[in-house]
Amino acid sequence: MLIAPAVQEVSLHGRAADRAAVAALLEAAASCRGGALVLTASPGAGRTAFLRAVAASAAGWTVLSAPGHADEAGLPYAGLQRLLAPLGETLPRTDELALAGVVVARLRGTRRRLLCLLDDAHLLDPASWRVLRLAARRLDGVPAVVLASVPATADGYQRAAGLPQRRLPLLGD
């Protein structure tokens, strides 16, 4: 029989400025000035670890997560459905702009501080990612943050168009 070692929480080193930027975004959202940030980094540079650390430190926040999956990219609104399912939400059939308005209204209506994590957002189905970007630009007055990650490639930057971006630098030794 194999015994797995205890899982230990790993602290992030060399990300103080990045953590401070996210903390400022969360602080603003706690005062109903919600917003979004797309984190870009080279593959293997720690995007997923960074998002996990943010989630672990988000005391008092409801954390919703919908990582991108390439095998769901052809299923319209699959990512959006996964993100909102813990809230018991079902999605109406309507156009994307109206759906973005519905998403913002539902986020506002929860009256909870919401942190929405979209790891590998470039792998979300295009319809979900468009709606989430539309909604993310309309979070003023909502205690919510959308934090997404994409690779630092031309495609990753293009997929994050219209949202504030922050590049996570490679870590030194």
Side-chain angles (χ1 to χ4, degrees):
M1 174 163 85
L2 296 175
I3 299 174
V7 176
Q8 297 179 1
E9 186 166 329
V10 178
S11 62
L12 295 179
H13 298 283
R15 296 272 185 233
D18 303 310
R19 301 264 327 235
V22 171
L25 187 63
L26 292 172
E27 186 177 320
S31 299
C32 289
R33 293 187 319 271
L37 183 63
V38 177
L39 303 167
T40 65
S42 302
R47 295 186 320 258
T48 299
F50 186 81
L51 289 179
R52 286 182 182 156
V54 169
S57 67
W61 288 76
T62 298
V63 179
L64 304 176
S65 180
H69 293 292
D71 60 340
E72 293 184 5
L75 302 171
Y77 306 115
L80 188 58
Q81 184 277 331
R82 276 189 295 112
L83 183 70
L84 298 178
L87 298 177
E89 299 294 340
T90 57
L91 301 176
R93 296 179 188 251
T94 184
D95 66 86
E96 290 180 354
L97 182 58
L99 186 54
V102 168
V103 170
V104 172
R106 298 227 172 120
L107 294 177
R108 181 177 284 123
T110 66
R111 301 197 190 289
R112 298 185 244 179
R113 294 177 179 178
L114 293 173
L115 173 58
C116 303
L117 301 177
L118 307 171
D119 193 20
D120 290 328
H122 63 291
L123 297 177
L124 287 170
D125 62 278
S128 289
W129 187 221
R130 278 191 306 272
V131 168
L132 288 165
R133 286 193 326 255
L134 280 165
R137 288 190 292 269
R138 289 159 175 77
L139 291 178
D140 191 41
V142 181
V145 169
V146 174
L147 194 57
S149 75
V150 299
T153 62
D155 180 53
Y157 287 127
Q158 180 182 6
R159 297 272 293 172
L163 294 178
Q165 297 180 32
R166 181 176 184 89
R167 182 167 171 93
L168 296 176
L170 290 174
L171 294 174
D173 294 336

